[in-house]
Amino acid sequence: MSTDTGEASAEQSPESQLEPPPAPPRPFAPPKPVEPPARVGAPLHIAAVLPKDAPKPAEPDEEPQGRSLRRTIIAVACAILGLGLLAGSVAGTWLSGGDENPDQAAYETARELWHTAEVGTLFPRTLRGEAAGPGDADRTWKRIGVAGDGDCRRAFDPNLAKALAPVGCERLLRATYADATGTHVTTVGMLFTKAGPERMQALRARFADEDLGERKDLLPLPYAVPGTPAADFGKRQRASWTVGVVTDAPVVVYSVSGFADGREVSDPQPAQTAVRAGQTTAPAQAGLGHDAQGIADRIESKLRSQAGEAAAEAGGVK
């Protein structure tokens, strides 16, 4: 009996011998983290609750009122700034004195200043020159007489009249100043020409190329004012001078200085030379070159200022 039972339990069927072993258990995978609940009062983002493929919400058609108001204010400010720049460019052309092609209408407006501008704006009663004297000393000049406007007949010595002839003479304005001490007198003049920009530029080039402003036979004439320190200011009292051709306005600005006591000067000296350091001539030592140059520069500056304002008004810029 025992022998038969052991043999029976040892035998296996062919099918049981071919069965595969059971599969091993799957490795352990941790559960997916759970999204923590939103805090109470925290902002809710739309992207957090919408599906990934959901369309984005449309942008609002109108801007908030505050942003629209800010843009309106900025636009108005830009418009005001543009007007200011326009006015500044018109007036700045004249003040800078560097425009080689001035506007023709503005050029004609400047030509009319001899009768449209007030005397006090072209020839102020007092001129002040900071560091305008010898050794950078301050200077002050008082107007003591203004000549009536006139033509240019007998207003210049023959050689200077010939040199200025190409630009013609519309009108001539003159005034005479005395320094604060009453010992120096200076006549300053503005010749308003009939020429356009091209002829004015040609005249300036000729004065520069031929040194006409330094020739002693081209001195301007003084304007003597009776009953003042300039009563005896004549041809023989001329000590220093300057002649400047303005190209952005049809004007020649000149000046001539001398001693108020009527002393004659045998060797006049051009202002651009007399103002240099180390000069030993009587005009240079007395500061008459500084007077001639300083007054001419300030009168020309006044002219440019008036021309700029007149051009801006004529162009409709208030």
Side-chain angles (χ1 to χ4, degrees), residues 95-302:
L95 295 174
S96 64
D99 190 357
E100 295 298 329
N101 298 289
D103 177 80
Q104 189 62 37
Y107 207 76
E108 294 301 325
T109 299
R111 197 193 311 278
E112 299 299 316
L113 286 176
W114 70 266
H115 66 86
T116 59
E118 297 290 335
V119 172
T121 60
L122 295 177
F123 297 124
R125 291 184 179 274
T126 302
L127 291 173
R128 292 181 173 83
E130 183 178 351
D136 292 334
D138 295 341
R139 299 290 255 198
T140 300
W141 301 279
K142 297 286 186 180
R143 192 187 73 198
I144 58 177
V146 178
D149 63 273
D151 54 31
C152 295
R153 289 178 296 178
R154 298 182 298 277
F156 302 104
D157 280 344
N159 287 340
L160 182 55
K162 183 178 179 180
L164 297 174
V167 294
C169 176
E170 180 75 17
R171 216 64 180 168
L172 178 65
L173 304 182
R174 295 172 296 167
T176 295
Y177 287 80
D179 71 341
T181 65
T183 58
H184 299 166
V185 289
T186 303
T187 291
V188 60
M190 285 187 285
L191 166 61
F192 287 81
T193 75
K194 295 181 178 181
E198 292 184 359
R199 279 196 290 166
M200 293 299 294
Q201 291 168 10
L203 180 65
R204 180 167 183 168
R206 185 188 174 202
F207 261 75
D209 295 342
E210 301 179 22
D211 295 326
L212 298 186
E214 299 185 24
R215 282 175 45 177
K216 295 178 182 180
D217 61 336
L218 298 179
L219 271 73
L221 289 173
Y223 167 58
V225 184
T228 72
D232 298 323
F233 193 17
K235 288 185 177 182
R236 295 183 178 182
Q237 285 71 39
R238 295 176 293 181
S240 190
W241 78 98
T242 182
V243 179
V245 181
V246 182
T247 56
D248 52 0
V251 181
V252 176
V253 178
Y254 67 86
S255 66
V256 57
S257 62
F259 294 102
D261 59 8
R263 78 181 75 172
E264 296 182 6
V265 178
S266 60
D267 189 20
Q269 188 176 34
Q272 66 178 20
T273 303
V275 298
R276 295 172 185 166
Q279 295 295 310
T280 59
T281 63
Q285 290 290 308
L288 289 168
H290 290 81
D291 288 334
Q293 192 67 63
I295 291 177
D297 287 347
R298 280 149 186 82
I299 293 301
E300 183 175 328
S301 178
K302 295 293 183 183

